[in-house]
Amino acid sequence: MHEDVIYGDDLLEDEFVRKRRFVLDMLAADGYNCSGIDAEEIRYTAKIDNFFHEEVGYKKLGNITRDIFITPYAITSIREYWATAFEKFWIKPDTRDFIKKSSPVLYHKIMTVKKMHNI
């Protein structure tokens, strides 16, 4: 539902890829071999998921991404980026300011969908 609004203009993709590149650069500087991870692959892949989950670990990834992504799993794909923030926006309203500050495009998309449903 609302895929055009969420993904149609590539703004969310640009924000997501920029943030993922930043995290991969941080991981590479920390000694991780990120050469096989394509920052621009926005869809879910087992390779990306396994890298973040198995090689880095979500605990460490959580520390690195704390001010960048709403959850460490949100870096896995653009759909998870959207879904985790959308869920937190509604379930934990205290995260709304964080989403607005750290992910302005994502926040705008959530607000657009919210307005479309008059909620």
Side-chain angles (χ1 to χ4, degrees), residues 20-39 47 51-52 55-56:
R20 187 192 265 171
R21 266 196 205 116
F22 180 75
V23 171
L24 288 171
D25 288 346
M26 289 175 54
L27 289 169
D30 201 28
Y32 288 91
N33 180 3
C34 303
S35 62
I37 304 302
D38 182 0
K47 181 179 184 177
F51 173 75
F52 289 127
E55 291 187 43
V56 178

Side-chain angles (χ1 to χ4, degrees), residues 55-101:
E55 291 187 43
V56 178
Y58 282 118
K59 183 176 181 175
K60 179 169 182 88
L61 192 60
N63 291 332
I64 293 170
T65 63
R66 177 182 13 247
D67 297 327
I68 305 165
F69 288 93
I70 192 77
T71 70
Y73 194 68
I75 196 172
T76 306
S77 72
I78 196 164
R79 300 252 182 214
E80 288 303 329
Y81 182 57
W82 165 262
T84 55
F86 189 81
E87 177 183 27
K88 295 287 186 187
F89 182 91
W90 294 107
I91 293 174
K92 291 188 74 180
D94 60 319
T95 62
R96 291 176 183 179
D97 285 340
F98 172 78
I99 297 168
K100 184 177 184 177
K101 181 180 176 187

